[in-house]
Amino acid sequence: MARMTESAEPGYEEARAELEQVVARLEAGGLSLEDSLALWERGETLARLCERHLAGARERVETALGEADGGHRDDGSDDG
């Protein structure tokens, strides 16, 4: 497993796993206000990162489907 440098963003799985840890620590309570706020901010950052990863994956899937369809996507309507 490759080590992440300080400037590199974590991948989706790493970000999601860290986000789960942040949520668990916040739910457990017992933290100072400052620590809780810092964790909350980290969680927000991780959630946005996960959303970006998912949006990128969605775009790749849509592009691949569009190429597979020859550019003609089925809109799901039943015309007949």
Side-chain angles (χ1 to χ4, degrees):
M1 176 179 236
R3 280 197 92 125
M4 193 174 46
T5 63
E6 292 266 338
S7 62
E9 287 187 336
Y12 174 77
E13 290 81 6
E14 294 165 303
R16 187 190 67 212
E18 185 180 346
L19 180 56
E20 289 173 356
Q21 292 172 356
V22 166
V23 169
R25 288 184 63 196
L26 286 169
E27 288 178 341
L31 300 169
S32 70
L33 178 59
E34 195 61 36
D35 288 343
S36 294
L37 288 173
L39 272 175
W40 179 271
E41 290 169 345
R42 180 61 181 158
E44 288 291 322
T45 299
L46 290 165
R48 284 191 299 274
L49 180 58
C50 287
E51 288 174 10
R52 281 200 319 266
H53 281 297
L54 290 173
R58 187 179 306 114
E59 185 177 317
R60 288 175 60 191
V61 167
E62 289 174 356
T63 298
L65 288 174
E67 289 172 0
D69 290 346
H72 302 290
R73 296 282 315 269
D74 180 8
D75 64 3
S77 63
D78 188 13
D79 291 335

